[in-house]
Amino acid sequence: MSEVLVQMEGIHKSFAGVQALKDCRLELRAGEVHALVGENGAGKSTLMKVLTGVYQKDEGQVIYRGKEVDILSTRAAQELGISMIHQELNLAPDLTVAQNIFIGREPRKAWRLFLDEKAMNEQARALFQQINLDLDPRTLVSELTVAKQQMVEIVKAISYESKVLIMDEPTAALSDAEIEDLFRMIEDLRGKGVGIVYISHRMVELKRITDRITVMRDGSYIDTVPTEEVSIDQIIAMMVGRQIYHTSTPDPRQENNEIVLEVKGLNRGKQLKDISFQLKKGEILGVAGLVGAGRTEVARAIFGADPIDSGEIYIHGKKVSIAGPHEAVRQGIGYLSEDRKQYGCLLDMDVKANVAVASLRKFSKGFGWMNDTDIANVSDKVVDELKVKTPSIHQPIKFLSGGNQQKVIIGKWLTRDCDILIFDEPTRGIDVGAKGEIYKLLDTLAREGKSIIMISSELPEILRLSHRILVMCEGRITAELGNHEVTQETIMSYATKRVG
Amino acid sequence: MKETSVKKSMAFNSAFLQQFLAFGSLILLIVFFSLSSSNFFQFSNIIGILLSTAVIGVLALGSTFVIITGGIDLSVGTVMTLSAVMTGVFITVWGMPVPLGILGGIMTGALCGLLSGAAVARMKIPPFIATLAMMMIAKGLALIISGTKPIYFTNTPGFSDISLGSLIGKVIPGFTIPNAVLIFFLTAIIGSIILSKTIIGRMNFAIGSNEEATRLSGVNVNYWKIVIYTITGTFTGLAGVLMASRLNSAQPALGMGYELEAIAAVVIGGTSLSGGKGTIVGTVIGALIMSVLTNGLRIMSVPQEWQTVVVGFVIILAVYADILRRRKA
């Protein structure tokens, strides 16, 4: 067996009296890809922040390559050879790739007075060669795809001679082809004896590339098992400690229903080409495709968030022109962004303010006077009906979990009487247990007659919920499929089908 | 039971605490100066403090709106001057009746706010730049229109009473609180109602909290921004009228620098320059802290230059206290 790189034992950590980690442990070997799984709030990030020196443990010991260490800062962790690739990348977009990799330790010349760009670019190139990455070190980071940016982060970690690499949801923003590249890189690193902690919710990936899995739940260590000895269902069962919700495959009952939204020949620059489709009452229309296929752009164009070059939109058979989100909303369209924190929630404001924000005119009487009693009543109803877990409607929404924030935003659109709802990645960043609740909610909304466009990168999610599926590739719709004729393979073949 | 737990949490919420801190500091200052000098806590001196707060106070009240959206209005100082000058022109040159002239002065401010708002919302010019430009435009116009000379209201009997007369004194003899102070507090009440009870206030906080999320909630953010800048302008116009009345003249060279004092008062009162947080009560207290400080130091014979230095440090202290408190929360 290979060398044990990291041994964490009996780690305790609490914040202001709240126990975040209870007797946690983790063992990572050289050349191992070790999955760390658990629902949101299970303590995965906290444990990794202890390892990378962001937090100090209250109790327990960390043994790194045979020696007990006290990691007091991220810098100390980096010097030991422990690096973390965060979900949110920490790169300066206006600097070049090489400048980012060597930030704070740039090679210099002429008595260290001047930067030595040439040496820096050469060193960067040498690093790229090590992992077979084809990239010009002089490229600006802002010109790279998210996938390439992530690889730059990994190269940066390698440049610190890291022996331990922690990856937090590395594939969340990647397309399938990019994921393959990443996995190849992980294999290379594994061959070099680097130990990798791989945090992810995507079970299929975990099965594929990890050697062992450590499961955490509610701040406690549950178990460490060899990956090949467990099934995905068993892992999920360990994570949640309960059964998760399954819907039956939706029936194509909406086939004869009224068309509520029709899009004809929508074009927008290079992003959208000749987009046409129909949405029926009570239907969930799944939109599948790889990252960058233009799915979010379709949503934003219909919603008036971005201008379009040409195309027509009909709502209930009537042609409308939508110059901005306020007009889309007036037509009964609500949009739920994939990035709730930035584009969905008023984070500092409370639940009732978030429920009311789209309908303030409805809640105001003469001279713009706000009817707070009405707002409170409606908010209570939303919390009640959508089963939002919150101590009260006066709770700032930033203290709610992702799933509950999503429910509040759904409540915002229902309050505004929107009957066309566009969900962009409805379960992104939402833990396994709450996903089931969101699925159930989408299904109920459709049964009640709402029409839903659901953009998702998770094919099982698309297959489970959609009545019809649109597949997009490079700004075009490449297929429209009924849900009975679809498998993941068909969708993938259309998602990679390049037209013209 | 639900209700009581909610009330409890309200008592500890941050806006409340910040106001309590600011209010506590104001009381401390008053106690300190009262002990330091027997001249401080005299009725006439208190009236003097309130009177000197009125103009800056009304400016600060207006600024609070724009600042809560995460914007800034650098033009309030010179727009105030332009409003004063226009009031003078309307009344003394055009011979308009006093109430109409006053209305014209206030509308001048509102129009400037509307234009700033349009530049920010429609043309997407950053607030700092748009209102910096408006500051210069208003300054120049005030000088051009007045011919760089003060406009006097000596032939308009009663004009100075708008600021310096005392309606309260007529009702309660001896209690001669000047009208300017009365107007300041009435304006504060109106401002507070707009901010907490009307759709404008809700939009104000929503935009300040997350402008893009608000836009994607179907709110016509551009429209509401223009409304909010117009409100700031309206308050600024009122400040101009008060200023003219108090000096019984429109002084075209005055006004620069007032915007910074107004912003200082807003910030001391706990409103965040990054938007989404703030109260009218805080601004009132902030404005009072500034004038109590200036007045108290003057009574203690601290030279004027040093007064400015002290106010500078107070701003640092106030904002740092706010940052410390937020870090804890």
Side-chain angles (χ1 to χ4, degrees):
Chain A
M1 264 221 175
S2 50
E3 177 201 9
V4 175
L5 287 175
V6 176
Q7 181 94 45
M8 299 177 88
E9 287 282 358
I11 306 289
H12 286 262
K13 175 72 190 171
S14 56
F15 297 99
V18 180
Q19 189 96 37
L21 294 177
K22 282 166 285 197
D23 195 18
C24 285
R25 72 183 96 127
L26 180 76
E27 184 195 80
L28 179 69
R29 291 175 178 276
E32 176 189 35
V33 182
H34 193 123
L36 185 58
V37 299
E39 291 190 272
N40 289 347
K44 295 167 301 194
S45 324
T46 314
L47 187 65
M48 289 304 100
K49 281 178 176 165
V50 168
L51 184 57
T52 50
V54 178
Y55 297 145
Q56 311 307 313
K57 60 190 186 307
D58 297 339
E59 268 178 63
Q61 55 176 353
V62 178
I63 297 165
Y64 178 68
R65 309 183 81 176
K67 270 202 304 240
E68 182 166 359
V69 288
D70 232 351
I71 302 168
L72 297 174
S73 68
T74 47
R75 198 183 172 96
Q78 214 155 44
E79 276 161 12
L80 283 173
I82 303 173
S83 295
M84 180 148 180
I85 314 294
H86 291 271
Q87 220 172 330
E88 284 93 24
L89 301 174
N90 295 311
L91 295 172
D94 297 322
L95 297 185
T96 67
V97 169
Q99 284 167 348
N100 266 286
I101 292 173
F102 292 101
I103 202 159
R105 51 195 176 114
E106 294 85 352
R108 287 186 260 178
K109 60 184 176 188
W111 302 286
R112 299 185 53 74
L113 280 173
F114 294 98
L115 295 175
D116 190 348
E117 289 276 340
K118 212 172 132 201
M120 190 166 77
N121 289 334
E122 267 161 29
Q123 287 176 31
R125 231 174 249 124
L127 286 167
F128 295 161
Q129 257 162 24
Q130 275 186 39
I131 51 166
N132 304 318
L133 179 63
D134 180 30
L135 192 63
D136 184 345
R138 291 167 301 183
T139 322
L140 287 182
V141 164
S142 57
E143 291 169 8
L144 300 178
T145 60
V146 176
K148 282 270 160 58
Q149 291 185 12
Q150 194 169 45
M151 297 198 174
V152 171
E153 283 266 28
I154 294 171
V155 171
K156 191 172 165 185
I158 297 169
S159 74
Y160 280 97
E161 313 262 304
S162 295
K163 293 304 278 178
V164 173
L165 210 53
I166 301 155
M167 298 188 179
D168 189 3
E169 293 280 358
T171 57
L174 303 193
S175 69
D176 282 13
E178 292 166 336
I179 290 173
E180 289 307 318
D181 286 342
L182 178 73
F183 284 0
R184 217 171 299 133
M185 189 183 261
I186 289 176
E187 284 303 327
D188 280 352
L189 291 171
R190 192 212 299 260
K192 290 188 166 60
V194 175
I196 295 170
V197 179
Y198 191 94
I199 302 175
S200 179
H201 284 123
R202 298 188 170 180
M203 296 300 151
V204 182
E205 289 173 10
L206 298 184
K207 281 297 281 179
R208 220 186 109 188
I209 62 153
T210 67
D211 303 302
R212 285 192 295 168
I213 298 181
T214 290
V215 183
M216 294 181 71
R217 192 200 311 151
D218 301 330
S220 299
Y221 169 86
I222 301 299
D223 203 359
T224 300
V225 289
T227 306
E228 57 196 26
E229 288 174 20
V230 287
S231 70
I232 289 176
D233 286 342
Q234 283 171 315
I235 303 169
I236 292 177
M238 278 196 278
M239 280 166 60
V240 296
R242 61 178 182 273
Q243 200 67 37
I244 64 163
Y245 175 80
H246 284 280
T247 45
S248 54
T249 314
D251 50 286
R253 71 199 133 88
Q254 276 73 21
E255 241 155 45
N256 301 317
N257 281 359
E258 173 206 1
I259 294 164
V260 291
L261 171 76
E262 178 161 19
V263 175
K264 283 184 187 167
L266 206 66
N267 284 291
R268 172 180 159 76
K270 287 180 182 166
Q271 294 174 321
L272 298 178
K273 292 166 204 149
D274 197 24
I275 301 291
S276 302
F277 67 89
Q278 299 174 336
L279 177 68
K280 291 172 184 164
K281 189 176 163 69
E283 171 184 56
I284 299 180
L285 179 65
V287 183
L290 301 174
V291 171
R295 296 168 301 167
T296 298
E297 286 75 10
V298 170
R300 287 182 59 97
I302 297 171
F303 192 60
D306 297 323
I308 55 174
D309 301 335
S310 63
E312 293 170 349
I313 296 171
Y314 296 82
I315 290 174
H316 297 291
K318 229 173 62 201
K319 189 176 167 187
V320 293
S321 91
I322 294 174
H326 60 281
E327 282 171 15
V329 171
R330 205 178 299 149
Q331 300 290 346
I333 304 176
Y335 172 62
L336 294 91
S337 166
E338 57 185 322
D339 189 344
R340 278 186 299 277
K341 288 204 170 100
Q342 217 177 336
Y343 300 128
C345 299
L346 306 172
L347 278 179
D348 286 330
M349 301 182 76
D350 56 18
V351 170
K352 63 178 186 319
N354 276 281
V355 168
V357 66
S359 326
L360 287 176
R361 282 200 192 266
K362 193 166 106 181
F363 288 116
S364 67
K365 302 174 286 189
F367 299 106
W369 201 268
M370 296 309 299
N371 190 339
D372 285 321
T373 333
D374 270 7
I375 292 180
N377 289 340
V378 168
S379 305
D380 275 327
K381 219 174 99 193
V382 164
V383 166
D384 210 42
E385 284 176 359
L386 304 185
K387 300 193 178 57
V388 181
K389 284 191 203 91
T390 172
S392 83
I393 56 170
H394 309 287
Q395 181 82 346
I397 195 168
K398 65 179 164 197
F399 297 127
L400 269 54
S401 71
N404 285 306
Q405 288 178 349
Q406 187 72 299
K407 289 183 192 171
V408 171
I409 297 171
I410 295 173
K412 164 173 90 180
W413 293 123
L414 297 182
T415 303
R416 178 64 204 235
D417 301 320
C418 287
D419 51 12
I420 300 170
L421 298 173
I422 307 176
F423 288 85
D424 198 348
E425 303 287 359
T427 60
R428 173 157 297 172
I430 289 174
D431 61 42
V432 179
K435 271 186 184 178
E437 282 186 60
I438 298 289
Y439 294 154
K440 207 182 209 165
L441 197 52
L442 285 173
D443 194 52
T444 315
L445 289 172
R447 278 172 204 284
E448 285 169 358
K450 307 283 180 204
S451 309
I452 293 172
I453 297 175
M454 183 186 72
I455 298 166
S456 175
S457 292
E458 295 190 30
L459 290 181
E461 188 167 289
I462 293 256
L463 290 172
R464 173 189 278 191
L465 288 171
S466 318
H467 301 106
R468 273 189 310 140
I469 298 164
L470 298 179
V471 188
M472 289 187 67
C473 178
E474 297 189 341
R476 289 175 196 279
I477 293 176
T478 50
E480 184 189 320
L481 309 163
N483 78 324
H484 49 278
E485 48 181 326
V486 192
T487 61
Q488 299 205 18
E489 288 72 29
T490 17
I491 294 180
M492 283 323 294
S493 71
Y494 284 112
T496 50
K497 181 181 172 186
R498 313 221 146 129
V499 188
Chain B
M1 199 219 93
K2 209 171 171 188
E3 274 303 300
T4 53
S5 68
V6 166
K7 287 222 173 83
K8 234 184 218 164
S9 73
M10 295 269 282
F12 289 103
N13 89 18
S14 53
F16 180 88
L17 193 70
Q18 171 66 15
Q19 267 166 47
F20 183 78
L21 275 178
F23 189 65
S25 325
L26 178 61
I27 299 296
L28 267 179
L29 276 178
I30 293 172
V31 170
F32 172 76
F33 286 127
S34 304
L35 295 176
S36 307
S37 165
S38 56
N39 293 329
F40 180 81
F41 206 73
Q42 301 291 330
F43 184 70
S44 62
N45 189 49
I46 298 294
I47 293 299
I49 291 174
L50 289 174
L51 188 58
S52 68
T53 314
V55 171
I56 283 289
V58 172
L59 274 190
L61 290 174
S63 301
T64 309
F65 284 90
V66 164
I67 292 175
I68 290 175
T69 65
I72 194 92
D73 193 341
L74 295 178
S75 71
V76 297
T78 58
V79 168
M80 173 185 80
T81 306
L82 180 63
S83 302
V85 168
M86 289 312 292
T87 310
V89 169
F90 292 145
I91 294 175
T92 65
V93 182
W94 295 10
M96 278 162 83
V98 174
L100 248 131
I102 291 171
L103 191 67
I106 294 174
M107 294 313 281
T108 305
L111 181 67
C112 291
L114 180 89
L115 294 175
S116 293
V120 170
R122 294 254 172 243
M123 298 162 78
K124 308 288 172 212
I125 298 174
F128 191 96
I129 306 296
T131 60
L132 181 73
M134 180 53 76
M135 169 169 106
M136 297 173 129
I137 292 168
K139 183 187 175 188
L141 284 180
L143 289 168
I144 293 165
I145 293 167
S146 63
T148 73
K149 286 185 196 66
I151 302 172
Y152 291 96
F153 294 93
T154 29
N155 295 326
T156 313
F159 186 73
S160 69
D161 286 348
I162 298 164
S163 263
L164 300 174
S166 177
L167 276 177
I168 298 181
K170 274 184 193 149
V171 181
I172 314 166
F175 202 64
T176 50
I177 291 178
N179 291 337
V181 176
L182 182 68
I183 292 170
F184 169 47
F185 283 113
L186 284 177
T187 312
I189 291 170
I190 293 169
S192 185
I193 289 172
I194 295 175
L195 206 52
S196 62
K197 294 287 175 205
T198 73
I199 189 165
I200 300 169
R202 293 304 146 92
M203 292 303 184
N204 216 323
F205 282 105
I207 293 171
S209 178
N210 186 341
E211 184 175 329
E212 189 58 14
T214 306
R215 187 175 85 95
L216 292 178
S217 295
V219 171
N220 191 344
V221 168
N222 286 347
Y223 169 81
W224 289 105
K225 270 192 178 171
I226 294 175
V227 168
I228 289 160
Y229 276 87
T230 307
I231 288 179
T232 300
T234 311
F235 278 52
T236 308
L238 177 64
V241 173
L242 287 180
M243 187 76 167
S245 156
R246 195 177 145 202
L247 303 173
N248 209 22
S249 62
Q251 302 282 346
L254 268 179
M256 285 285 265
Y258 276 62
E259 67 283 340
L260 298 181
E261 287 195 40
I263 293 167
V266 174
V267 166
I268 291 173
T271 296
S272 158
L273 279 184
S274 50
K277 290 197 177 75
T279 58
I280 290 293
V281 181
T283 298
V284 171
I285 294 170
L288 286 172
I289 285 180
M290 298 247 303
S291 35
V292 163
L293 206 58
T294 323
N295 176 282
L297 292 170
R298 191 168 58 231
I299 285 182
M300 287 171 72
S301 319
V302 175
Q304 199 182 350
E305 305 78 62
W306 282 103
Q307 294 169 21
T308 320
V309 174
V310 172
V311 172
F313 276 110
V314 166
I315 293 172
I316 296 285
L317 265 178
V319 176
Y320 187 54
D322 192 39
I323 288 171
L324 284 183
R325 184 180 55 79
R326 273 175 221 270
R327 206 180 285 166
K328 249 189 220 163

